Amino acid sequence: MTQTAAAPPRHVAIIMDGNGRWAEARGQSRSEGHLAGAEPVRVILKAAHRLGVRFLTLYAFSTENWARSTQEVDNLFSLLTRYLDSETAELLASGVRLRGMGNLERLPPQARLALTQAEEMTAHNEDLTLSLALSYGSRAELTQAARELAQKAASGQLDPQTIDESSLAQAMWSRHLPEVDLLIRTGGDKRVSNFLLWQLAYAELYFTDTLWPDFGEADFLAAIADFQGRQRRFGRV
Ligand code: IPE
Ligand code: IPE
Ligand code: MG
C-alpha cells in the first residue's frame, strides 16, 4: 500500500457495531460476537499507535444499551473486566493511557474497579490516549455539563456571562479530548447513535458495512487513507 503524505488524524473515534449480527450469522450467541469483538480492539489500537494517532475513542457501551437483557449487559461488563485485567500491562508498556468516559457510576463494581486501576496505572503514559466510552450518551454528557455549570453559577463560583464553548467543553466527560477528526462506524448503519454529538462538529465521517469482529488492520488503513484524501474546510472556502 502506498503511503500518502497527508498527516494522520489526531483523534479517531469508532462506533464498534455489528457484534450481534456477526454472531447470529454464525449461529452463535450475541455473547460470542462480543467476545470476538475484543480482537479488533487490540489490532486497531496497535495500528493507530503505529500511525501516530494520538487519541482513539471507542464506543463500547451506550446509555441506551442498558435496555438490553441483563444477561447481555452482565456479559459485556465481564468481558470488559477481563479485557482490562489482561491488557493493562501491555497498555502500560506500550505508552497508552486508558481513560473511561461516561456515567461510570452505573458500572458494575468489578468493572469500575478494573477501569480505575487501569486508569491509575497508565496515567503517566502520553503516546496515545485510549478512551472507552462506557455508559456513555452524548445527551447525558451535555446535560450533566449544563447541570455542573448551573450549580457553579448558582453558588456564585461562576459568572454566567463568562460561559463560552471552551468552558462547556471543560465540563464534559470528554474534557481530556480534542475534537474528533475521523469517525468510523462499522456494521452498515449510517447514524451516530448518541455518540459525541458536540465533539463531531467538523469530523469526517466514514461508514463501512464490515461488522466489528471482521474489522482488521487493512480496513482501518483504508479508513485512514480515505480521511487523508479529504479536503476539510471548516466553513471556509
Ligand atoms: C456493538 O454490537 C456492541 C455494543 C453495542 C455493545 P451490537 O451488539 O450492537 O451488534 P449488532 O448491531 O446487534 O449486530
Ligand atoms: C452503538 O451501537 C453503541 C455502541 C457501539 C456501543 P448500537 O447497536 O447500540 O446502536 P443502534 O441501536 O443501532 O443505533
Ligand atoms: Mg448494534
Side-chain angles (χ1 to χ4, degrees):
M1 172 169 199
T2 54
Q3 201 70 35
T4 95
R10 182 160 180 247
H11 182 185
V12 178
I14 308 183
I15 301 175
M16 309 182 290
D17 197 23
N19 295 351
R21 281 164 285 164
W22 182 91
E24 277 154 29
R26 282 166 177 69
Q28 297 176 353
S29 68
R30 297 183 59 85
S31 296
E32 286 171 290
H34 297 314
L35 180 64
E39 184 56 20
V41 172
R42 292 185 193 96
V43 171
I44 301 316
L45 174 62
K46 266 205 195 115
H49 199 177
R50 206 185 61 238
L51 289 172
V53 170
R54 300 295 308 277
F55 299 90
L56 179 66
T57 302
L58 303 178
Y59 205 6
F61 191 88
S62 74
T63 308
E64 291 71 26
N65 290 150
W66 285 112
R68 296 189 180 191
S69 73
T70 316
Q71 190 198 356
E72 181 165 352
V73 171
D74 288 351
N75 171 256
L76 278 163
F77 284 109
S78 83
L79 276 174
L80 170 73
T81 309
R82 271 196 275 157
Y83 171 84
L84 293 171
D85 289 345
S86 68
E87 298 296 312
T88 301
E90 169 74 19
L91 298 177
L92 183 60
S94 58
V96 174
R97 177 172 190 172
L98 185 117
R99 310 200 68 160
M101 186 171 100
N103 185 357
L104 304 177
E105 276 155 34
R106 279 188 82 176
L107 265 53
Q110 269 195 313
R112 180 102 200 269
L113 182 67
L115 182 65
T116 307
Q117 284 173 342
E119 286 180 331
E120 284 171 3
M121 279 175 72
T122 62
H124 300 292
N125 280 349
E126 290 180 345
D127 280 14
L128 184 152
T129 298
L130 171 64
S131 303
L132 297 181
L134 292 162
S135 189
Y136 176 89
S138 200
R139 289 179 175 177
E141 176 179 45
L142 286 161
T143 304
Q144 71 76 37
R147 192 184 308 118
E148 186 181 308
L149 295 181
Q151 277 163 348
K152 282 192 181 154
S155 69
Q157 283 172 272
L158 175 72
D159 173 2
Q161 286 304 327
T162 65
I163 295 174
D164 57 10
E165 292 183 8
S166 141
S167 52
L168 181 57
Q170 282 306 310
M172 289 164 63
W173 293 323
S174 65
R175 59 173 70 85
H176 62 288
L177 294 173
E179 284 189 55
V180 177
D181 296 302
L182 171 64
L183 172 79
I184 299 171
R185 182 178 185 135
T186 64
D189 288 310
K190 296 184 179 64
R191 54 177 173 256
V192 291
S193 302
N194 202 14
F195 191 41
L196 303 174
L197 301 179
W198 164 278
Q199 301 85 341
L200 292 176
Y202 272 100
E204 296 298 323
L205 309 181
Y206 183 90
F207 298 99
T208 170
D209 289 340
T210 304
L211 303 171
W212 178 250
D214 289 329
F215 192 77
E217 178 164 335
D219 302 294
F220 185 64
L221 293 178
I224 300 290
D226 190 278
F227 169 87
Q228 288 174 318
R230 296 194 194 182
Q231 196 191 29
R232 303 180 81 190
R233 286 187 289 278
F234 299 99
R236 297 159 206 243
V237 290

